[in-house]
Amino acid sequence: MRPHEIDRVLLSQKQIQTRVAELGREISLDYADKTPLVIGILNGSFIFIADLVRAFSFHCQVAFIQVSSYYDDTKGSGTVTIKYDPIGNIEGQDILIIEDIIDSGHTLSALLELLRQRNPASIRLCTLLTKPSRREVDIPVDYCGFEIPDEFAVGYGLDYAGLYRNLPFIGVLKFVV
Ligand code: IMP
Ligand code: MG
């Protein structure tokens, strides 16, 4: 990894670790007597979910789903396509969705709608990051790691063009023109 590609560190490895442990404790209080299905949204959530579930003190199942979003910025509309969905029947189950970052909110809005149609007992949402200033649709976030400014974040699962996911911290990319 070439250090000059990162403009600055937004969240250090230590800051992330501390917050993930806190989130794990907070979520564990709410699910003490439940066995939810924890659904990670691929690919961005893979590191967050791996750390987070190890901070849970309740039993849970873990599964993944992958969606891709295409937006028309000029119209402010778009479609969300399900690329990988092995989950199937979730009727009567408690669902905890794990996302890396919520930006406009379109991806989660579509995914929540899809999962609600399958009649789960409950759906809660946990995101590591959120950019509130970018929101276009209202999303009910139950657990959030950090609010960040409108900057492009990479690392700890988040990518730019498929790269930087393996950085142990979250940084802002330096765009060279
Ligand atoms: P939304 O549908 O606009 O909320 O987009 C959410 C998705 O866009 C996330 O799951 C990420 O894959 C991607 N994304 C949004 N902002 C960032 C960022 O700052 N860094 C990396 N990926 C991002
Ligand atoms: Mg994502």
Side-chain angles (χ1 to χ4, degrees), residues 10-11 101 129-133 146-151 153 170:
L10 204 58
L11 297 163
I101 183 165
L129 306 177
T130 183
K131 291 182 193 171
S133 64
F146 303 92
E147 287 191 2
I148 63 165
D150 181 12
E151 292 187 279
I170 292 173

Side-chain angles (χ1 to χ4, degrees), residues 12-118:
S12 70
Q13 193 170 0
K14 183 75 198 151
Q15 280 177 293
I16 298 169
Q17 245 171 29
T18 303
R19 186 68 187 122
V20 170
E22 279 172 8
L23 281 173
R25 284 194 292 273
E26 186 187 340
I27 296 171
S28 293
L29 292 176
D30 294 344
Y31 286 95
D33 54 356
K34 296 193 163 78
T35 304
L37 170 63
V38 181
I39 301 179
I41 306 179
L42 292 172
N43 293 330
S45 73
F46 80 110
I47 294 179
F48 178 42
I49 194 172
D51 284 344
L52 187 65
V53 294
R54 284 180 287 177
F56 289 166
S57 57
F58 54 91
H59 290 295
C60 64
Q61 295 178 314
V62 179
F64 293 91
I65 197 165
Q66 189 172 28
V67 297
S68 57
S69 320
Y70 304 93
Y71 302 127
D72 183 341
D73 284 344
T74 57
K75 292 185 194 145
S77 65
T79 53
V80 175
T81 316
I82 308 294
K83 287 171 73 180
Y84 171 72
D85 175 13
I87 290 166
N89 183 17
I90 53 167
E91 193 166 344
Q93 275 188 282
D94 293 304
I95 303 296
L96 176 61
I97 300 173
I98 309 295
E99 174 63 304
D100 55 352
I101 183 165
I102 309 178
D103 189 41
S104 70
H106 287 292
T107 306
L108 271 168
S109 169
L111 188 61
L112 283 169
E113 178 58 32
L114 176 100
L115 293 176
R116 280 194 193 111
Q117 286 167 9
R118 299 184 192 174

Side-chain angles (χ1 to χ4, degrees), residues 149-170:
D150 181 12
E151 292 187 279
F152 201 83
V154 294
Y156 197 72
L158 291 114
D159 76 305
Y160 173 69
L163 301 178
Y164 305 99
R165 293 193 197 277
N166 59 316
L167 289 176
F169 59 88
I170 292 173

